[in-house]
Amino acid sequence: MKIGIVCYPTYGGSGVVATELGKALAQKGHEVHFITYSQPTRLDFFNQNLYYHEVSVNNYPLFEYPPYELALASRIVDVAQHVGLDLVHVHYAIPHASAAFMAKQILAQKGINLPVVTTLHGTDITLVGKDASYEPVVTFSINMSDGVTAVSESLKQETLDYFNITTPIDVIPNFIDLDRFKKQPKEHFRKAICPNGERLLVHISNFRKVKRVEDVLTMFCSLRKIVPAKLLLVGDGPERIKMEELARKICAYEDVRFLGKLEQVEEVLSVSDLFVMPSEKESFGLAALEAMACEVPVISSNAGGLPELVQNGISGYLCNVGDVDDMVKKAIHILDENNLAKFKQGALARAKEFDIQAILPMYEAVYARVQRNVLKVVS
Ligand code: GMT
């Protein structure tokens, strides 16, 4: 098939899922055309079936807000006509689903049918989509999609509860490439950070408010009084400076390191003992899955789709949002030398259930279904 993929090309989870999906589809022989405003971060290798089409937004002094959505719709039309796309798969509803709908309408006038598959990732529904300034367009463009997927049962339910949705939603969870995300021998790195055999905790996120990074810090500082440990914080975002200030106030300087954005997070994960994800909302928790694949158990909140990933007492623990004391208690239990190896095995076993090889056919099945439906309409 010739598949167009529209996504945010940056570090966010939806962009990672879209890019890894496109790469895997290309390896399976599909022709994949990425349509985005810059090269997706993880689109970093050559494959004869992969193409990248940049969306450029020409600004004009009259525009206070450059009309990206129109430029994107025009580029989808252009690529669909030029290469003969079989469908376009948009990741993150805003503004991708409505741009794809507009492109579909324009192409229909030219006698071309372009099915649209929309994948809902999380904040496009749970935060931004609910905002009154977007809600009518989000509802409309989900309903106009030929196929809709959500990354967890929880996200599907929240979408159905909040929006007036008439299109069926398939749940297709996030997935993991186990060839890339696996524990690597990086003991020299661990020795440098934990010279006295301390336990190593890690948090990876885009440092938005919804991630509750302050809970990671308060939890760690309490834990640190009982268990010798170090904390690595990976990623960047609006809350980072505030979190650095908080860390200086409540933790010892030598115990907490902010590493910024890292490409090879699997190297850090390979030497870590515990991943902490205390999010206020989290539709799936891709970063936690990446940790589990590297044999790192997870302490997370029980928000959104996290209970569909983390098995309480096996691959980690689920705690109520903001219950830092419980997180400390559970962390002490996991990090105990009698328990840690068992939790590490539990984490890896769970991650294997989300192997990309098992999840990819679910997307292919949705593609086949929307194509069949198009053929039915045409004949
Ligand atoms: O919050 C992020 O990490 C970015 C965000 C995105 O859409 O770019 O991630 C969402 O999509 C990921 C991939 O499907 C999910 O694993 C994350 O749980 C989800 N984030 C939230 O729901 C907050």
Side-chain angles (χ1 to χ4, degrees), residues 136-339:
V137 178
V138 171
T139 304
F140 177 79
S141 46
I142 291 175
N143 285 334
M144 288 298 118
S145 298
D146 299 276
V148 180
T149 77
V151 298
S152 60
E153 286 292 343
S154 150
L155 183 61
K156 171 179 174 176
Q157 204 43 57
E158 198 163 345
T159 309
L160 296 176
D161 289 346
Y162 197 86
F163 301 86
N164 188 8
I165 298 301
T166 52
T167 312
I169 301 178
D170 289 282
V171 172
I172 305 184
N174 285 177
F175 49 79
I176 190 84
D177 176 355
L178 293 162
D179 287 333
R180 171 174 171 184
F181 284 90
K182 60 181 173 206
K183 194 173 174 65
Q184 303 168 5
K186 297 277 171 193
E187 279 314 303
H188 56 289
F189 181 36
R190 188 184 168 106
K191 269 234 152 72
I193 297 179
C194 304
N196 303 309
E198 295 91 341
R199 296 297 193 207
L200 185 57
L201 280 73
V202 63
H203 169 79
I204 303 177
S205 78
N206 47 26
F207 284 68
R208 288 196 237 140
K209 262 196 163 26
V210 73
K211 301 291 177 181
R212 294 186 67 98
V213 185
E214 66 277 17
D215 286 358
V216 180
L217 289 172
T218 28
M219 177 265 202
F220 173 77
C221 296
S222 301
L223 175 82
R224 176 67 189 83
K225 291 177 190 146
I226 303 159
V227 178
K230 303 277 181 184
L231 172 66
L232 297 178
L233 294 127
V234 181
D236 204 353
E239 293 289 294
R240 178 168 165 190
I241 300 290
K242 243 207 260 166
M243 291 307 117
E244 286 196 28
E245 282 164 11
L246 180 63
R248 281 183 183 193
K249 257 194 229 148
I250 65 173
C251 303
Y253 155 80
E254 64 279 7
D255 288 344
V256 181
R257 283 196 201 193
F258 288 81
L259 300 181
K261 281 182 188 167
L262 287 182
E263 285 289 340
Q264 309 295 325
V265 285
E266 60 274 25
E267 294 186 354
V268 172
L269 292 171
S270 289
V271 296
S272 300
D273 297 307
L274 183 62
F275 187 87
V276 190
M277 182 177 254
S279 311
E280 179 93 40
K281 291 174 186 291
E282 198 66 61
S283 65
F284 181 87
L286 179 62
L289 173 58
E290 291 178 343
M292 288 157 74
C294 296
E295 302 178 32
V296 186
V298 172
I299 287 209
S300 76
S301 70
N302 54 9
L306 284 167
E308 295 170 48
L309 172 65
V310 180
Q311 304 147 296
N312 212 20
I314 300 172
S315 44
Y317 278 110
L318 296 155
C319 304
N320 289 331
V321 175
D323 192 345
V324 172
D325 292 343
D326 193 33
M327 290 177 199
V328 175
K329 240 195 280 164
K330 299 288 166 45
I332 293 171
H333 179 76
I334 293 177
L335 295 171
D336 187 294
E337 61 180 345
N338 296 313
N339 302 327

